[in-house]
């Protein structure tokens, strides 16, 4: 790092309020305040998320400053997620960031949430930590996105393929919901899958051309299997939940891996990364590690705390991009009407 800028970042794109402080790429603190209020609805309720952000944002930032052992006046830049995300949630984070930038008289840097996920591998938690080499391929799989991104630099990323309908995380969450599991379903499916037979049930895998993904057919196929089996045996779910979870997880991973392998072949990259909430999945982490090991590639598997939404990745992305000359956002250049949803 040429510039060891002390950056405070705010992330509020969905249902987690995050604040983090980094010096360059070195993590000093990372605080996340998650919102339990959505569990009873089986998904994020945007209005409730915005209101919870309003309650959480000041304490979350204060704790991040305390834990970093600095005072607010030491901060040299404020980073904030500008989008994509829920408009009301983003507005809370951007409002807070603008206020801090104005009050402290330091530059404001806007960060694309997806760039931040892709750059999460640069969050430095120890001094000898290795970092990916550019260009690298990143499979970004979360609740709202599934993309294959060729990362040429912190500022230059090419989307090689993306989902044309549901995201991988949505497939986990929606299928989990129909078997009566709590939201978010991904982590629950992951733990049930450890005890199930992944080859027991077969689900349809959509075949879309190129490097794009589609998960809506899988969801329908999962639903039809349940409908048919429940007609024969009302206890079908209870008796087979582990095998259902394992088979679903196996199918989603297979679908993600087919296109990942194709993208590696087309680009010739030697470094392969995963990111986003679904990259916490143990089956996906093993599949990518095994594939890379047997093909002489370097795998980048993020620590679990940096897979789901967090402000550490926003802080690091802002510093890496600022080092490459990205201009700070002038306060009036971020009218709320520009927030990307
Ligand atoms: O990146 P993220 O925190 O939020 C956005 O969507 O931006 O990702 C959340 C998604 C949810 O769909 C959740 O079910 C999924 O990540 N997820 C998992 C696991 N942990 C989180 N999916 C599969 N296995 C997991 N262990």
């Amino acid at each position: 790092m040429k510039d060891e800028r002390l950056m405070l970042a705010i992330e509020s794109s969905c249902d987690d309020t995050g604040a983090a402080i980094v010096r360059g790429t070195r993590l000093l603190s990372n605080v996340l305040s998650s919102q339990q209020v959505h569990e009873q609805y089986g998904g994020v309720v945007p209005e409730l998320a915005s209101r919870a952000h309003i309650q959480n944002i000041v304490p979350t930032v204060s704790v991040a400053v305390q834990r970093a052992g600095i005072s607010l006046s030491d901060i040299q830049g404020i980073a904030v997620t500008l989008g994509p995300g829920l408009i009301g949630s983003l507005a809370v984070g951007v409002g807070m960031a603008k206020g801090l930038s104005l009050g402290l008289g330091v530059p404001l840097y806007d960060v694309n949430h997806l760039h931040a996920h892709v750059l999460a591998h640069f969050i430095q938690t120890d001094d000898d930590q290795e970092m990916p080499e550019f260009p690298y391929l990143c499979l970004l799989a979360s609740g709202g996105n599934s993309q294959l991104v060729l990362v040429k630099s912190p500022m230059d990323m090419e989307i090689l393929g993306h989902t044309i309908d549901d995201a991988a995380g949505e497939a986990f969450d929606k299928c989990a919901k129909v078997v009566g599991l709590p939201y978010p379903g991904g982590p629950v499916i992951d733990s049930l899958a450890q005890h199930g037979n992944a080859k027991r049930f077969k689900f349809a895998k959509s075949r879309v051309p190129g490097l794009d993904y589609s998960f809506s057919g899988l969801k329908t196929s999962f639903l039809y299997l349940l409908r048919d089996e429940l007609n024969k045996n009302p206890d079908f779910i209870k008796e087979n939940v582990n095998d259902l979870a394992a088979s679903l997880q196996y199918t989603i991973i297979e679908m993600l891996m087919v296109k990942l392998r194709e993208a590696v072949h087309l680009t010739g990259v030697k470094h392969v990364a995963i990111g986003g909430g679904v990259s916490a999945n143990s089956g996906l982490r093993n599949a990518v590690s095994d594939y890379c090991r047997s093909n002489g590639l370097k795998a980048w598997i993020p620590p679990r705390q940096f897979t789901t939404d967090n402000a550490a990745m926003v802080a690091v992305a802002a510093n890496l991009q600022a080092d490459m000359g990205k201009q700070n956002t002038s306060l009036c250049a971020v009218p709320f009407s520009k927030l990307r949803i």
Side-chain angles (χ1 to χ4, degrees):
M1 289 291 300
K2 355 181 234 293
D3 187 356
E4 298 286 288
R5 200 180 292 99
L6 192 62
M7 183 77 83
L8 183 159
I10 293 171
E11 155 65 39
S12 70
S13 61
C14 191
D15 60 337
D16 291 309
T17 317
I21 293 171
V22 294
R23 191 181 295 282
T25 53
R26 189 72 157 98
L27 186 62
L28 303 187
S29 68
N30 185 34
V31 181
L32 199 64
S33 172
S34 297
Q35 305 177 359
Q36 266 75 46
V37 62
H38 307 286
E39 275 168 22
Q40 59 188 301
Y41 301 103
V44 177
V45 182
E47 175 66 16
L48 296 179
S50 319
R51 287 170 186 267
H53 283 305
I54 291 172
Q55 286 179 333
N56 296 344
I57 194 113
V58 173
T60 305
V61 169
S62 306
V63 173
V65 171
Q66 266 169 35
R67 287 196 188 157
I70 58 158
S71 63
L72 263 183
S73 57
D74 298 326
I75 289 163
Q76 295 160 307
I78 306 290
V80 66
T81 303
L82 187 60
L86 302 172
I87 187 75
S89 294
L90 290 166
V92 177
V94 172
M96 179 77 180
K98 279 184 173 189
L100 282 168
S101 163
L102 192 63
L104 298 172
V106 296
L108 176 68
Y109 297 92
D110 68 275
V111 174
N112 176 301
H113 180 74
L114 304 180
H115 290 185
H117 269 305
V118 165
L119 295 170
H121 299 276
F122 292 87
I123 302 169
Q124 204 187 345
T125 51
D126 81 67
D127 290 337
D128 310 320
Q129 191 172 317
E130 287 183 83
M131 309 261 177
E133 279 171 22
F134 297 103
Y136 64 93
L137 183 75
C138 185
L139 166 64
L140 173 58
S142 68
N145 293 278
S146 298
Q147 297 184 341
L148 281 164
V149 186
L150 181 62
V151 191
K152 299 172 191 171
S153 83
M155 295 279 277
D156 187 5
M157 301 183 197
E158 186 185 346
I159 297 172
L160 304 176
H162 59 88
T163 179
I164 57 167
D165 41 52
D166 285 353
E170 245 174 314
F172 273 109
D173 295 341
K174 288 179 178 170
C175 291
K177 190 173 179 179
V178 295
V179 293
L181 298 173
Y183 175 85
V188 189
I189 296 279
D190 193 357
S191 68
L192 294 175
Q194 318 280 337
H195 313 287
N197 175 0
K199 303 282 173 67
R200 170 89 187 281
F201 302 110
K202 298 259 175 297
F203 304 113
K205 296 184 207 153
S206 340
R207 292 188 203 286
V208 283
L211 296 175
D212 286 341
Y213 289 111
S214 163
F215 291 98
S216 59
L218 164 65
K219 202 179 56 189
T220 312
S221 157
F222 188 83
L223 200 63
Y224 283 176
L225 177 116
L226 286 186
R227 185 198 57 189
D228 296 347
E229 296 296 333
L230 283 169
N231 276 338
K232 292 184 249 164
N233 170 15
D235 289 331
F236 174 75
I237 293 179
K238 206 163 61 189
E239 290 168 9
N240 296 284
V241 70
N242 292 347
D243 290 349
L244 282 166
S247 303
L248 173 71
Q249 177 168 305
Y250 175 79
T251 311
I252 294 175
I253 293 171
E254 261 307 290
M255 291 170 77
L256 291 170
M257 289 303 293
V258 165
K259 300 287 171 110
L260 178 98
R261 288 192 286 261
E262 219 172 303
V264 169
H265 178 69
L266 287 171
T267 55
V269 291
K270 295 285 173 231
H271 286 227
V272 177
I274 53 175
V278 177
S279 68
N281 184 270
S282 37
L284 180 63
R285 295 164 81 88
N286 291 339
V288 173
S289 301
D290 292 349
Y291 163 68
C292 286
R293 196 176 311 112
S294 41
N295 287 279
L297 305 166
K298 173 84 181 156
W300 293 92
I301 312 292
R304 279 202 165 82
Q305 60 164 324
F306 303 137
T307 56
T308 45
D309 293 346
N310 65 86
M313 65 183 190
V314 178
V316 164
N319 262 344
L320 290 173
Q321 294 186 337
D323 283 350
M324 289 196 70
K326 179 172 168 176
Q327 293 300 304
N328 64 294
T329 315
S330 96
L331 284 168
C332 47
V334 194
F336 287 131
S337 60
K338 286 274 166 60
L339 296 179
R340 275 167 281 143
I341 53 171

